[in-house]
Amino acid sequence: MKHSIYIFLLLLFTSCGEDLMTYDVSTDTPVVESYLLEGSNQMSVKVYSMEVYLKDEYDLSDPIAGLNLKINDRELTETVAGTYSLDLGEDTVRGLQNYSLQFDYRGKTVSASTSVPKAVTNLSIEPAYIIGTSSYYFWNTADTTEIKLTWDDPDRSYYQVYIESPATSDMPSMGGGMQFRRRMMQPIQGSSYTTTSREFMSVGTYNIYVYRVNKEYVDLYERISSSDLSNPASAIQNAFGIFTAMSVAGVRFYVYENE
């Protein structure tokens, strides 16, 4: 996926004591990670083992190789250990279509299904740019100009905003720390997202993406964001992780420096 949403699934499957044993989670259970993007001609699935800490022993996660993995009965090719891909050629991941994942692992059938959400439409941003007045990473600390994204939302879907900053955002921020090049916001329901100019601390061009995501993604994201990581949720039969689909639209936002 060209503009992947990166979530740290292993946080869900790492225990700081005997919690995994308390919840009867088998360390043989595989972890699946796959995001199908509407309009893409590629599918990819990662499969790996859980990372577990139990008393004085620490088992690192490893890729699970050699699987016969299919989506909608089309076999994927293992491109690197534990990563399975399918090139759709002139076809693409289609909106509103259902996709089913299946493979066998240690005598059990792992399966999951997802539906590709409708494409995000009529995405716009207002204002489309702002202008700084002094040093390129100090200038807007007192500026609270609102930046508003809007899009069509006919059915109360879930959305997630993703901001990709220009390279200059690697420079120190006002607090003396380093700014993140990419930022993911909490999933929301609705047709708009409002932030302020303080979110844009460097001059340059920002790519902003709005993903329409499914409920299974939101459930997992909320689980990762919570303090309870010992009882992982999963919509996958005989595995943990995520098999989901999403659509995306993007706009550009500009920060100019007034010399």
Side-chain angles (χ1 to χ4, degrees):
M1 184 185 305
K2 184 176 181 180
H3 301 292
S4 297
I5 294 181
Y6 296 103
I7 61 175
F8 298 98
L9 286 172
L10 286 181
L11 289 174
L12 281 175
F13 314 109
T14 305
S15 172
C16 295
E18 297 190 6
D19 290 335
L20 287 178
M21 299 302 294
T22 301
Y23 288 96
D24 296 326
V25 175
S26 170
T27 56
D28 291 334
T29 304
V31 179
V32 173
E33 184 179 357
S34 180
Y35 310 93
L36 306 183
L37 182 63
E38 187 264 337
S40 173
N41 64 355
Q42 298 285 332
M43 295 182 180
S44 181
V45 181
K46 293 182 180 180
V47 186
Y48 43 89
S49 61
M50 285 193 290
E51 185 172 311
V52 179
Y53 177 75
L54 183 60
K55 293 183 178 179
D56 296 327
E57 297 182 2
Y58 191 46
D59 294 328
L60 295 175
S61 173
D62 292 311
I64 298 177
L67 299 174
N68 182 15
L69 190 151
K70 295 181 179 180
I71 294 179
N72 285 6
D73 295 325
R74 299 181 66 175
E75 187 171 353
L76 279 68
T77 300
E78 187 172 9
T79 50
V80 298
T83 298
Y84 303 82
S85 301
L86 177 62
D87 188 336
L88 299 175
E90 295 183 359
D91 197 5
T92 62
V93 176
R94 300 181 182 183
L96 303 181
Q97 183 167 328
N98 296 324
Y99 290 89
S100 297
L101 167 72
Q102 184 172 312
F103 62 91
D104 292 330
Y105 182 68
R106 295 192 175 182
K108 294 183 178 180
T109 298
V110 175
S111 61
S113 61
T114 189
S115 179
V116 182
K118 297 177 182 178
V120 178
T121 56
N122 290 330
L123 175 62
S124 63
I125 188 167
E126 179 64 34
Y129 68 91
I130 50 179
I131 299 175
T133 57
S134 60
S135 176
Y136 66 93
Y137 58 85
F138 292 115
W139 63 265
N140 66 351
T141 55
D143 187 352
T144 58
T145 301
E146 286 193 345
I147 314 297
K148 187 173 184 179
L149 290 159
T150 58
W151 57 85
D152 289 342
D153 177 36
D155 53 6
R156 291 284 293 170
S157 294
Y158 291 92
Y159 301 88
Q160 187 169 43
V161 176
Y162 176 100
I163 299 176
E164 185 179 70
S165 305
T168 52
S169 65
D170 292 333
M171 299 299 295
S173 66
M174 275 292 289
M178 300 298 290
Q179 294 189 45
F180 291 105
R181 180 79 194 277
R182 299 175 178 88
R183 285 157 290 175
M184 245 185 344
M185 309 309 172
Q186 189 84 10
I188 60 172
Q189 285 182 287
S191 60
S192 66
Y193 175 82
T194 301
T195 185
T196 70
S197 56
R198 291 180 180 179
E199 191 70 45
F200 305 94
M201 295 291 287
S202 303
V203 298
T205 301
Y206 291 76
N207 293 313
I208 304 179
Y209 304 98
V210 176
Y211 288 85
R212 189 194 299 255
V213 297
N214 287 334
K215 185 63 164 58
E216 66 264 15
Y217 174 86
V218 176
D219 290 342
L220 185 58
Y221 187 97
E222 290 177 349
R223 174 66 66 177
I224 291 174
S225 301
S226 75
S227 59
D228 178 16
L229 301 178
S230 60
N231 189 22
S234 180
I236 303 176
Q237 183 71 27
N238 293 321
F240 291 113
I242 186 78
F243 177 70
T244 192
M246 56 192 65
S247 63
V248 64
V251 293
R252 288 184 174 179
F253 181 75
Y254 303 92
V255 179
Y256 300 112
E257 184 177 6
N258 185 0
E259 296 181 352

